[in-house]
Amino acid sequence: MRRIFFFIPFIFISCGDYYGRPVPIGDEFEDHWEKINFEGMIYDIEDSKIKENEFFIIDENSIYILDTTIRNLFSLSYPYPELTTLASSFSNPLRLLIGTNSSKIYYCNMEGVLREFELNSLGNIKFLSFSPLDTTTIFATDGSLLLKVFLPELQIDTLYYSNSNIISLLVSSSAEIFLASTNQVCSSIDLGLSWDTLYIASGEYINGFALDKKGILYLSIGNKILKSEDRIKWTEFYTNSIGNFSIAGIDNGLLLLRTDGDVVSAFKIDETGKSYDISLGIVHTFVYISDSPLMLAVNENRYLISFRDADEKDSALLIFLDTILPP
C-alpha cells in the first residue's frame, strides 16, 4: 500500500511594538496608543466620574476637556498661581476643583470659576477630591494635612495628619477615603472620623496606590506591586527588575506605566497577575524623560497618560482604547 504524507505548514506571525520589541501572541490584537496634540506642559489629568470617554487636563493656567477632541474650557486671568491638581465631581451638576502651588483653590463649572477660596493651613494643594455624596463637600491635602471642607460656609475640619509624605488621596464612589503615604496606607468609611491602618511599610517606601473596580487594593513598592483582596493579607502580585512605574486601577487589575531611559512602556495586568504589553503607539521625541511621576487616568475602557521631557518644557499626551483580548 502506498502511503501519502501531508505536510501542513504553520505560519507564525511575529508582531512588534514601536521600539521593535516582540509582542506576545494575543497582545497584538490590542488597540494602540494615539497621540493627542497638546503644546506645553501638562500638570494633571483627571477622568470624568459622570461621563464615559471624557477627561480633564490642566496646564499652568488653563483647563481643557478631552472627549472626541480636545478643547480649552477656560483660562484663569493673570495674575494667577500655578495650577497643580484637579478633581471632578461624582454627580451632576458637574463641578471641577483646581488646586494651586499656593493655598488657593478654584471651584468651577464648565464655563469658568464659580468661587475661589484659600485654605491657609495648607502650604500648597497636592491632592483634591469631591465627596461622592454631594458637590459641596471636598477633601484637600498638601502632602501632610488632610482637610474636609464644607463649601457653603467654608467650614473646615482636620481629618488626618501624616508625618510622612502623602502620595495618594483616593475617594471611592461608596465614600470610602484611602490615604497612602510613603510608609503606610489608611482608610476611613465614615468620612474621616476614624481610620484603619491597612499596611505599614518596612524598609522600602510606598510610591503608588491603586484600587480596581472590584475593590482590590494594590501598592507599588520599589520594583514590585503588592495586592490585597481582604485588606489584611498582602501578597506579591507583580515584580520587574526596572521598577520606576506608576499605577492606576482598571476593571479587574491595573494599568501600569514605566520608564527605562527614553523608553516609556505600558502594561495591563489582570487580577491574576497576567501581564499584557500595550506599549504599541507610545511615541515621543524627547531625548530624556523627566523624573516627575508619570500621569495616568482611567475612564471605563479608555486610558489617558502623560509624561514630560527632562527639561520640563513639554508634555506628551496619549490615549488608548482597551479591547477584550482573545481567549
Side-chain angles (χ1 to χ4, degrees):
M1 177 182 291
R2 176 185 253 174
R3 294 181 179 178
I4 301 175
F5 296 92
F6 294 94
F7 295 93
I8 301 175
F10 289 90
I11 300 174
F12 293 91
I13 301 174
S14 176
C15 295
D17 64 13
Y18 173 75
Y19 299 100
R21 299 166 301 193
V23 177
I25 296 299
D27 291 15
E28 76 277 7
F29 295 101
E30 282 280 11
D31 203 344
H32 63 279
W33 294 90
E34 296 183 5
K35 182 180 179 182
I36 306 296
N37 290 326
F38 189 94
E39 294 185 2
M41 284 283 292
I42 293 172
Y43 287 85
D44 200 11
I45 59 178
E46 162 82 349
D47 60 295
S48 170
K49 298 176 178 62
I50 297 175
K51 188 175 180 181
E52 291 184 16
N53 190 30
E54 187 173 81
F55 297 90
F56 301 101
I57 302 159
I58 55 172
D59 62 14
E60 186 179 15
N61 72 315
S62 298
I63 294 85
Y64 303 82
I65 186 171
L66 171 65
D67 39 41
T68 55
T69 60
I70 186 170
R71 60 189 186 277
N72 185 304
L73 285 177
F74 56 89
S75 298
L76 301 177
S77 301
Y78 186 84
Y80 50 82
E82 181 180 288
L83 307 186
T84 56
T85 186
L86 77 158
S88 63
S89 62
F90 288 79
S91 58
N92 286 310
L94 177 64
R95 295 291 183 260
L96 297 173
L97 289 171
I98 313 296
T100 69
N101 63 355
S102 69
S103 58
K104 180 175 288 188
I105 296 175
Y106 297 97
Y107 180 75
C108 313
N109 62 11
M110 298 287 278
E111 283 74 46
V113 177
L114 298 174
R115 180 180 181 182
E116 58 183 80
F117 57 94
E118 295 197 36
L119 301 178
N120 293 320
S121 55
L122 302 183
N124 58 78
I125 311 300
K126 189 171 181 180
F127 298 109
L128 289 167
S129 179
F130 282 92
S131 166
L133 306 179
D134 56 62
T135 60
T136 58
T137 302
I138 71 165
F139 304 96
T141 177
D142 61 355
S144 297
L145 194 65
L146 176 65
L147 304 179
K148 181 175 74 172
V149 184
F150 182 58
L151 292 176
E153 301 169 6
L154 207 59
Q155 177 183 329
I156 302 172
D157 295 317
T158 300
L159 301 184
Y160 193 90
Y161 174 78
S162 174
N163 50 19
S164 61
N165 186 40
I166 294 173
I167 53 106
S168 176
L169 167 66
L170 192 155
V171 181
S172 72
S173 57
S174 62
E176 185 171 8
I177 305 172
F178 295 92
L179 202 62
S181 68
T182 53
N183 64 7
Q184 67 177 4
V185 177
C186 301
S187 71
S188 174
I189 58 174
D190 52 16
L191 297 180
L193 294 178
S194 61
W195 293 87
D196 293 319
T197 300
L198 306 181
Y199 183 85
I200 298 177
S202 59
E204 294 183 286
Y205 289 131
I206 300 168
N207 52 42
F209 171 80
L211 172 73
D212 72 12
K213 292 291 182 65
K214 292 188 174 183
I216 300 175
L217 308 182
Y218 302 90
L219 286 179
S220 169
I221 301 178
N223 67 340
K224 61 182 179 291
I225 294 174
L226 305 182
K227 166 180 120 170
S228 179
E229 298 184 32
D230 60 7
R231 305 189 182 189
I232 299 172
K233 181 181 178 182
W234 292 85
T235 58
E236 190 168 311
F237 171 70
Y238 175 86
T239 185
N240 182 279
S241 60
I242 299 173
N244 192 28
F245 35 68
S246 302
I247 57 175
I250 56 176
D251 279 346
N252 61 338
L254 288 177
L255 171 64
L256 181 148
L257 200 62
R258 76 176 188 214
T259 58
D260 181 18
D262 65 342
V263 176
V264 180
S265 303
F267 298 85
K268 183 176 68 172
I269 310 175
D270 68 24
E271 61 189 45
T272 68
K274 183 172 176 57
S275 174
Y276 301 92
D277 189 336
I278 57 170
S279 304
L280 190 65
I282 299 183
V283 180
H284 65 85
T285 58
F286 304 154
V287 178
Y288 299 105
I289 304 296
S290 171
D291 291 332
S292 299
L294 295 88
M295 290 174 272
L296 301 82
V298 174
N299 190 332
E300 298 298 332
N301 65 339
R302 285 194 179 269
Y303 310 151
L304 187 68
I305 62 174
S306 180
F307 50 91
R308 302 174 176 181
D309 75 310
D311 293 330
E312 302 278 332
K313 294 181 178 178
D314 198 10
S315 294
L317 183 65
L318 299 104
I319 196 166
F320 180 90
L321 173 62
D322 192 12
T323 55
I324 299 175
L325 287 170

